[in-house]
């Protein structure tokens, strides 16, 4: 790499330059972006170094080059995404109403847990310096509640991320199960589709929508671990082994309620994390595409 004889200190870029090119970005935005442009940097514990070695810039980086915000990070899918991100050396911030999960695990200590609600949170405390947002927000309840949590909450998050200049947004949505239109119009599915439309509209070349079917894995509920993988894993193998026989049935309304293969929570998590660093990942990902995207895990 050619040496650069003169470059503004990252800790204090000219105000005019910052306003002109990074109107909503903080210093941490610039630090992250600079390191992602194949330039290694060293940041002292007390702050950023104010000078470069004039002979070389290939010094060791002490900061993570990605910073992901996981909405609903303490939930079943959200915690798997946080864990996968930590395993790849990504800095993780979780925003959820319950805050830090109660179960002990080494990776839990490496996540910044912020308790809060997307409708009322101070986004300055959550999004500054982030390079991606992953939303696992969703749930069941009355029609009004489902439209609010599956749709409106995600729309608020997408618009906040866009306003703060976050380059990537990944939404965990749901497979449509080949349901008839009158069922798709229910609060759960209509909320999810509204959120999808917002992601694809605001992030046409970098937004990712994952549509898994039934997600299996070890799920914690009220301190107990429910081994959903004991059902989901063998069912997935059976459905994949018989897919040539069942394919003629796939055109029947609601057939995917029985025929859509379950998806491992780890596959969903790694597909989401791989989407952060791969610029070729954007658009809607089906069940098969989620599994393929997860294969690039290291």
């Amino acid at each position: 790499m050619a040496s650069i004889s003169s470059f503004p200190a990252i800790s204090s870029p000219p105000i005019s330059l910052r306003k002109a090119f990074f109107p909503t970005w903080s210093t941490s935005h610039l630090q992250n972006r600079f390191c992602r442009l194949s330039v290694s940097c060293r940041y002292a514990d007390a702050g950023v170094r104010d000078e470069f070695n004039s002979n070389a810039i290939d010094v060791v980086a002490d900061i993570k080059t990605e910073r992901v915000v996981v909405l609903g990070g303490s939930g079943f899918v959200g915690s798997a995404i946080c864990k996968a991100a930590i395993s790849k050396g990504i800095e993780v911030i979780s925003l959820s109403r319950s805050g830090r999960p109660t179960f002990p695990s080494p990776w839990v200590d490496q996540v910044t847990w912020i308790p809060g609600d997307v409708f009322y949170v101070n986004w300055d405390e959550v999004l500054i310096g982030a390079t991606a947002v992953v939303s696992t927000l969703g749930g069941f309840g009355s029609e009004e509640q489902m439209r609010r949590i599956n749709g409106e909450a995600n729309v608020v998050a997408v618009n906040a991320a866009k306003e703060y200049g976050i380059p990537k947004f990944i939404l965990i949505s749901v497979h449509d199960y080949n349901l008839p239109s009158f069922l798709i119009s229910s609060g759960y599915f209509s909320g999810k589709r509204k959120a999808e439309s917002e992601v694809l509209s605001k992030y046409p070349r970098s937004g990712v929508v994952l549509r898994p079917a039934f997600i299996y894995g070890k799920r914690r509920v009220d301190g107990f671990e429910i081994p959903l993988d004991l059902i989901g894993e063998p069912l997935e193998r059976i459905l994949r082994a018989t897919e040539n026989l069942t394919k003629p049935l796939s055109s029947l309304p609601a057939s995917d309620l029985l025929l859509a293969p379950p998806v491992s929570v780890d596959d969903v998590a790694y597909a989401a994390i791989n989407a952060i660093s791969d610029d070729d990942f954007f658009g809607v990902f089906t069940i098969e595409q989620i599994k393929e995207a997860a294969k690039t895990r290291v």
Side-chain angles (χ1 to χ4, degrees):
M1 182 182 294
S3 61
I4 300 176
S5 58
S6 178
F7 200 92
I10 297 177
S11 58
S12 56
I15 294 175
S16 58
L17 178 64
R18 210 164 58 214
K19 287 183 176 180
F21 295 100
F22 306 97
T24 61
W25 285 28
S26 66
T27 298
S28 55
H29 271 98
L30 298 179
Q31 294 167 358
N32 285 345
R33 281 303 177 197
F34 187 77
C35 282
R36 293 183 69 193
L37 293 174
S38 301
V39 181
S40 298
C41 316
R42 185 191 301 278
Y43 300 106
D45 292 340
V48 183
R49 291 174 64 97
D50 288 332
E51 58 184 23
F52 288 98
N53 184 325
S54 60
N55 297 319
I57 303 184
D58 55 346
V59 290
V60 179
D62 292 330
I63 67 166
K64 294 179 173 63
T65 58
E66 299 283 1
R67 188 184 195 199
V68 60
V69 173
V70 181
L71 305 179
S74 58
F76 173 47
V77 177
S79 60
I81 292 172
C82 290
K83 183 179 179 180
I86 292 296
S87 74
K88 286 201 167 189
I90 298 174
E91 183 182 356
V92 181
I93 297 92
S94 166
L95 173 68
S96 64
R97 286 181 292 182
S98 58
R100 181 188 175 95
T102 56
F103 59 85
S105 187
W107 66 266
V108 172
D109 296 330
Q110 300 181 57
V111 176
T112 300
W113 302 97
I114 301 176
D117 189 309
V118 294
F119 289 107
Y120 310 108
V121 70
N122 178 1
W123 290 109
D124 282 344
E125 299 175 357
V126 179
L127 293 180
I128 293 296
T131 55
V133 174
V134 181
S135 176
T136 69
L137 299 178
F140 294 94
S142 67
E143 287 291 297
E144 182 181 352
Q145 288 171 330
M146 290 190 293
R147 287 192 176 91
R148 180 171 172 81
I149 189 62
N150 294 301
E152 294 171 18
N154 282 306
V155 168
V156 167
V158 171
N159 283 294
K162 187 67 176 179
E163 181 181 347
Y164 277 76
I166 311 303
K168 277 243 178 186
F169 197 103
I170 296 95
L171 172 70
I172 310 302
S173 188
V174 65
H175 183 61
D176 63 13
Y177 294 100
N178 200 22
L179 293 174
S181 58
F182 73 91
L183 290 177
I184 288 293
S185 64
S186 69
Y188 182 83
F189 286 99
S190 65
K192 288 287 189 181
R193 294 300 177 258
K194 181 177 181 179
E196 289 183 9
S197 296
E198 197 70 15
V199 172
L200 299 175
S201 172
K202 294 294 172 36
Y203 290 88
R205 300 293 296 178
S206 61
V208 176
V209 173
L210 303 184
R211 288 184 177 176
F214 171 70
I215 302 175
Y216 67 84
K218 290 179 171 57
R219 183 167 193 162
R220 296 176 183 270
V221 178
D222 296 330
F224 295 95
E225 192 174 77
I226 302 175
L228 296 177
D229 49 335
L230 295 182
I231 300 173
E233 194 168 353
L235 181 58
E236 180 184 11
R237 287 200 298 266
I238 291 170
L239 288 173
R240 293 194 181 282
T242 60
E243 61 184 349
N244 289 334
L245 298 175
T246 59
K247 189 172 293 184
L249 303 175
S250 61
S251 60
L252 297 176
S255 59
D256 276 358
L257 288 172
L258 297 175
L259 301 179
V263 183
S264 162
V265 70
D266 290 333
D267 281 344
V268 175
Y270 278 100
I273 294 307
N274 290 335
I276 293 173
S277 55
D278 194 330
D279 291 338
D280 291 330
F281 280 31
F282 61 90
V284 176
F285 282 62
T286 63
I287 296 171
E288 292 298 327
Q289 291 168 329
I290 289 171
K291 292 189 68 66
E292 189 65 30
K295 288 180 181 178
T296 60
R297 77 176 79 173
V298 292

